[in-house]
Amino acid sequence: MSGLVGGVGPHLVHQERAEYSLARKHALRARHADALHRCIARRRDTRGAGRRGVPACAMDAGLSRELARASGPQDALHLLAAGQAGPLSTDACRQAMQACVDAGRADLARGVHAEMLRGGSREEGPQWPAADAETSAALLCMLCRAGQVKAALGALQDVRTCSLGRSGDVQFGHVVPSPLDPELPLALVRTLEATQNVADAASRYEFQIVSGTVTETAVEAVAQRRGTLWASTGGRVLGARPGLASVHRLVLEDAAGRRRALRFGTTDDALPAKAGDVVSVACCPERAVLSKDRLFKAMPPNAKPGQPMLLSNQTSGKSTPLVPAPPTADGSILRSGVPGWVLPAFMGLAAFDTAAAALNPGAALAATGAAAALGAAGLATQRLLLPRLRKLPSSGLAAQEVRQGLLAQHLELERRIAAILESAADTVQSCARLHHLRSKMAGLEGTYTTRLERVKASLQWLESRLEKQTELLRAAVRVLAMVEVEVELQEGSALEARSSGIEEELTRLDEIDRLQQGWWERSAAEDEVEKLLQTS
């Protein structure tokens, strides 16, 4: 009996220990799973962590206080790097931005985000990791929860500007539209360039672009100066322009200190530029440079040498078509834009007709008909034949055509980015308002329990939408940077730009846009957000 007990006993003890170890392992797994579920629940909470919010693990309190007292992004970088052996992670940067927002340092959080968008520091040592779309969306959600709407809108602009690395005097430049078709680009104007003559590949005419800072402005109304003939015919006589509403005089000063005065008319009373604005004015060239060796100069039709035709305001980003201003300030019809050949021709024809009628009435009629036919032929030559003869040959505009094609893509991307920024700004404001509404409803315990859950669901949808918009914005900015690089390479090396990669990126951007648009249309939470905002 004792032998049996002695033989079986160790085996039972071993089995019991194995079962206990297995049970303990399952208990540990269950505990870890429960902790994981609690962590996921905290991350789904709109006040807590996750990809669009606060990191799951809070930062050390002492380090958070030191970050809140940091003088700038570089100081914050050294504080974070001192506590880590390897390179900084994106989660650590999100924790740092959250600590800054909690301490009321939204400006420092934006500075950290801007450095991450630029791709790190220029100094040797620790570097910021590159910011992705999730990091940018997380900062926007942090700022919305804190009620920092202006800072959130500024962070959106940082995604637009800092990703392109635009700083200092050396920038990409400003795209000036064509005066003949404002939807098409004419040329790229640098910051320090004063005057340049360019050829338009679409119309094959030559233009002169004058750029500078507006130092003086003067406006005079012309509605009171229209004569009786203008009023009786509605302004539709002898080349008169009924769209002229006011005359402006601007004095531009370039980077070298040279000044130039321009006088032009506009079709409304709005001021196209004010003192301090940087503008570029596309004019008919005073003297041809690109077509100086040709018999017919490549001047645009219906324009006099030196006449301003379009003003592009680099400060406001708006372009204004211009009309010729009357050369004098009196109300005489002889100086209100009537062609100079009209009055001498009319007086000569009247004198010849009077003399011919005294000699032979039939000859007078024949002379009148011949004069009319000759005038019609001259008018057709001036309006149809001469503009064709003045055009530049298309064989010498191949490089300019490629360049303007890239600039056309640049204009289209600029318009698309502006639309994305406007939509994302609306989402930021709605998200901030719902967070404010959520805080008020949470303070009234037990009153709005059901509607509070609906608000939380709407906030999750808005944050997801904001992340998608940020991703689309970063993709559009990336393609815009590729276009700018191709333009720079074409100008620097005089080689034909290869835009096949850009076409692929544009196609991919359109696909992302379509997918996100479909995702937004299928979502039913947008109507819920509108209802909540209307009832709040």
Side-chain angles (χ1 to χ4, degrees), residues 341 345 348-349 352 365-383:
W341 56 269
L349 180 61
F352 178 79
L365 294 177
T368 303
L374 184 61
L379 183 62
T381 302
Q382 183 181 6
R383 295 293 179 89

Side-chain angles (χ1 to χ4, degrees), residues 151-165:
L153 297 178
L156 270 177
Q157 293 294 333
D158 292 340
V159 177
R160 162 75 174 88
T161 57
C162 295
S163 300
L164 295 175

Side-chain angles (χ1 to χ4, degrees), residues 175-190:
V175 181
V176 179
S178 172
L180 302 182
D181 188 357
E183 296 296 327
L184 298 178
L186 176 60
L188 177 67
V189 177
R190 307 294 182 183

Side-chain angles (χ1 to χ4, degrees), residues 255-276:
R258 296 184 298 266
R259 293 193 174 190
R260 178 170 177 175
L262 297 175
R263 188 170 180 267
F264 52 83
T266 55
T267 57
D268 53 22
D269 296 329
L271 190 66
K274 62 182 184 298

Side-chain angles (χ1 to χ4, degrees), residues 316-362:
S316 63
K318 297 181 180 180
S319 298
T320 305
L322 308 177
V323 296
T328 58
D330 56 24
S332 175
I333 188 61
L334 301 179
R335 298 184 179 183
S336 60
V338 179
W341 56 269
V342 172
L343 184 60
F346 179 77
M347 294 178 63
L349 180 61
F352 178 79
D353 184 67
T354 303
L359 298 177
N360 188 356

Side-chain angles (χ1 to χ4, degrees), residues 415-438:
R415 298 188 189 101
R416 181 176 297 188
I417 288 174
I420 296 174
L421 284 174
E422 184 179 359
S423 176
D426 294 339
T427 306
V428 165
Q429 295 178 6
S430 300
C431 188
R433 290 183 59 187
L434 278 185
H435 273 295
H436 181 66
L437 178 62
R438 178 183 180 277

